[in-house]
């Protein structure tokens, strides 16, 4: 995969109903491929979560998109795709997505997912992976 000269300066998860920041990470090191993060259990009680990604790019990106695969016990249980589109070279951008929660009876218990859930995040320029974490 090819790596772009992009800087992820902030990632945030907010309660989409009231805007309360539930989790954040600044100065995301784009050279680190794996991180361990602890999300508060309150995130599971939200009907919808707003994810905000702040990034800068020195390069033009024709068709920027993110794909997230949710892994549990070695199996992909969910996959999300979010298109961003064209990124202007030498620009700073904020990207928001709303992620709706499953119905309460479809949610996995916190005891099952705690410490067992892996979120693989892939950023693409058209079909080429440009960043992975």
């Amino acid at each position: 995969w090819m790596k772009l000269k992009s800087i992820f300066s902030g990632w945030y998860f907010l309660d989409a109903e009231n805007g309360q920041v539930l989790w954040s990470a600044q100065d995301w090191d784009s050279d680190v491929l794996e991180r361990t993060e602890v999300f508060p259990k309150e995130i599971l009680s939200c009907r919808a979560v707003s994810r905000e990604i702040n990034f800068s790019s020195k390069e033009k990106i024709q068709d920027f998109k993110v794909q997230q695969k949710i892994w549990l016990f070695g199996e992909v249980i969910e996959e999300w795709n979010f298109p961003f589109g064209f990124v202007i070279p030498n620009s700073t951008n904020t990207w928001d997505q709303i992620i709706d929660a499953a119905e309460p009876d479809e949610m996995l218990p916190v005891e099952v997912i705690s410490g067992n859930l892996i979120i693989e995040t892939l950023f693409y320029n058209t079909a080429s992976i440009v960043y992975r974490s």
Side-chain angles (χ1 to χ4, degrees):
W1 58 281
M2 85 178 182
K3 186 173 176 184
L4 290 179
K5 294 181 179 106
S6 296
I7 299 168
F8 295 95
S9 57
W11 291 55
Y12 305 88
F13 282 105
L14 301 91
D15 183 323
E17 292 180 350
N18 63 24
Q20 177 186 358
V21 175
L22 302 169
W23 176 87
S24 67
Q26 285 75 37
D27 300 320
W28 194 275
D29 186 347
S30 60
D31 290 327
V32 175
L33 293 179
E34 188 172 311
R35 293 173 60 122
T36 299
E37 296 293 336
V38 177
F39 294 96
K41 65 182 177 184
E42 291 78 21
I43 205 166
L44 297 174
S45 62
C46 295
R47 293 298 313 136
V49 173
S50 173
R51 177 181 57 194
E52 179 180 304
I53 302 171
N54 299 322
F55 68 96
S56 300
S57 180
K58 295 184 185 296
E59 301 172 52
K60 173 178 83 170
I61 304 174
Q62 194 62 41
D63 184 22
F64 195 45
K65 55 190 166 190
V66 66
Q67 175 186 60
Q68 287 193 301
K69 295 179 181 181
I70 313 304
W71 295 79
L72 184 64
F73 301 119
E75 287 188 37
V76 175
I77 61 168
E78 200 163 350
E79 187 173 309
W80 303 324
N81 293 286
F82 302 97
F84 183 85
F86 183 77
V87 176
I88 299 169
N90 299 308
S91 64
T92 299
N93 306 274
T94 298
W95 187 6
D96 293 305
Q97 302 96 28
I98 301 294
I99 302 167
D100 292 316
E103 293 300 320
D105 62 334
E106 297 173 356
M107 297 283 279
L108 294 171
V110 69
E111 299 81 21
V112 172
I113 61 174
S114 182
N116 298 309
L117 196 68
I118 296 172
I119 302 173
E120 179 183 27
T121 305
L122 303 163
F123 288 90
Y124 290 88
N125 181 8
T126 311
S128 299
I129 297 172
V130 294
Y131 179 71
R132 179 180 192 165
S133 73

